[in-house]
């Protein structure tokens, strides 16, 4: 079984091999994904659904 931690470690190892900075984390990638969707005009309700957010307040944090 692959755990969340296993995924994070694999991600970080791959990012390091690719020469990406340590700040490039699964969380930063997720945040960038949500932010770019909103900046490109995707409806906030759609973004909330894609991100798995329970409330729009969580998704609104990506607009800051």
């Amino acid at each position: 079984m692959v755990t969340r931690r296993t995924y994070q470690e694999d991600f970080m190892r791959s990012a390091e091999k690719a020469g990406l900075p340590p700040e490039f984390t699964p969380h930063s990638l997720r945040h960038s994904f949500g932010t770019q969707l909103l900046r490109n005009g995707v409806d906030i309700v759609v973004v909330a659904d894609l991100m798995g957010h329970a409330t729009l307040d969580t998704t609104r944090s990506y607009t800051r």
Side-chain angles (χ1 to χ4, degrees):
M1 179 169 112
V2 178
T3 65
R4 182 178 183 176
R5 184 68 185 151
T6 301
Y7 165 74
Q8 288 174 326
E9 289 170 352
D10 287 348
F11 181 94
M12 297 307 293
R13 219 176 355 265
S14 295
E16 184 178 356
K17 283 181 184 178
L20 297 170
E23 299 82 28
F24 189 75
T25 63
H27 178 77
S28 68
L29 182 61
R30 175 182 166 80
H31 186 80
S32 295
F33 171 72
T35 300
Q36 288 304 311
L37 289 174
L38 291 170
R39 285 184 182 166
N40 285 287
V42 177
D43 185 84
I44 195 167
V45 175
V46 173
V47 176
D49 186 47
L50 289 170
M51 302 293 288
H53 294 159
T55 68
L56 290 180
D57 288 336
T58 303
T59 311
R60 280 190 191 96
S61 70
Y62 288 78
T63 63
R64 295 184 198 126

